[in-house]
Amino acid sequence: MGALSGIRRSASGLYRARPFITDLGNTGRTEFSGATFEQWVAKTSNYLEAEFGTELQLHVELRAHWMWPVIVAALDELEGTVVPRDRADLVMRIGTEPSSEIPVLALHDHPMAMPFGRPLPPLHHDFFLDVRSGGDTRSAGPVHELPLIDDGVRTWSAAELVAATTPFADEPRLGAFATLDPLTTVAEIVSLTVLPWASSASLVIANDHASAQGERITVELPIN
């Protein structure tokens, strides 16, 4: 059980059968209810623990993407850490990186990260094919205290991230507007993860305001 499990499950439970995360990426719309989101978290954390063990050091190279809340929640569950690339055991990115000298967890640039449908280079794992085999639930365990994020300057525990976050009231629908550049700062990552959970919010991720018309966003979050 992660230090963020309580606020995350409380938030997702409010949206159990309605949109909790909506990603309006340039390849199409991805939308999860709170219940489906928790299944992805459980599958991802169970797979990563079985394949790479606890305390995984993961470097994430993703734009503002629906996978950020999933992977941060999963790392919190298994006491892993988001780290700079030179400290990583595993890299998570969209597409392949044949030159990588460490394992790559590759996401297909498809709204639901569907399988690539072809063999991947050595050291590569197809996120959808591998993670979908993980269990849909996860047993509770002790609350973790190891850092959740290491930005190369300092480390941040989950408790520190929560303490540094000012939540919004009234169960808002947050609109995170971002470029296609990978997220690199703690503040950017928190805006897609800890902040919505602490605010009991649903989240919309979009590249521009035109694509988010009709989403009933109540609070806007510029990301990068």
Side-chain angles (χ1 to χ4, degrees):
M1 180 177 181
L4 299 175
S5 298
I7 62 170
R8 188 196 81 232
R9 291 175 180 173
S10 176
S12 64
L14 293 172
Y15 302 88
R16 181 169 180 78
R18 54 192 175 121
F20 182 51
I21 296 177
T22 304
D23 187 335
L24 305 172
N26 59 348
T27 57
R29 182 188 186 95
T30 306
E31 190 163 76
F32 296 131
S33 67
T36 303
F37 169 75
E38 289 297 335
Q39 287 181 338
W40 276 92
V41 171
K43 283 181 174 294
T44 303
S45 54
N46 288 334
Y47 163 73
L48 291 175
E49 185 173 41
E51 187 71 24
F52 301 99
T54 58
E55 302 182 20
L56 172 66
Q57 306 295 287
L58 176 66
H59 180 64
V60 183
E61 296 179 358
L62 293 178
R63 66 163 178 84
H65 190 280
W66 61 263
M67 180 48 62
W68 270 108
V70 172
I71 199 63
V72 168
L75 289 175
D76 180 51
E77 289 284 337
L78 56 87
E79 203 160 14
T81 308
V82 176
V83 298
R85 185 179 181 114
D86 61 0
R87 302 180 194 173
D89 304 317
L90 175 70
V91 172
M92 181 179 219
R93 69 189 311 275
I94 292 175
T96 60
E97 186 183 1
S99 62
S100 179
E101 297 180 354
I102 61 175
V104 174
L105 187 58
L107 287 170
H108 190 185
D109 194 11
H110 176 280
M112 290 297 294
M114 296 298 285
F116 285 85
R118 57 181 170 81
L120 299 185
L123 294 178
H124 282 64
H125 303 257
D126 186 324
F127 173 82
F128 190 94
L129 281 180
D130 291 335
V131 169
R132 70 177 179 179
S133 64
D136 288 343
T137 59
R138 187 172 176 85
S139 300
V143 173
H144 300 152
E145 298 179 356
L146 291 181
L148 182 59
I149 299 177
D150 179 344
D151 65 3
V153 178
R154 60 160 289 185
T155 60
W156 300 79
S157 69
E160 288 174 317
L161 294 174
V162 173
T165 299
T166 302
F168 296 102
D170 302 323
E171 297 178 20
R173 185 156 173 80
L174 304 182
F177 293 93
T179 68
L180 297 178
D181 295 331
L183 302 191
T184 58
T185 70
V186 173
E188 291 169 348
I189 297 169
V190 166
S191 291
L192 294 187
T193 57
V194 179
L195 178 58
W197 302 336
S199 302
S200 299
S202 60
L203 175 67
V204 177
I205 303 170
N207 300 335
D208 53 58
H209 288 77
S211 64
Q213 289 184 356
E215 294 296 334
R216 300 181 180 180
I217 291 168
T218 60
V219 179
E220 293 187 8
L221 301 173
I223 302 297
N224 57 14

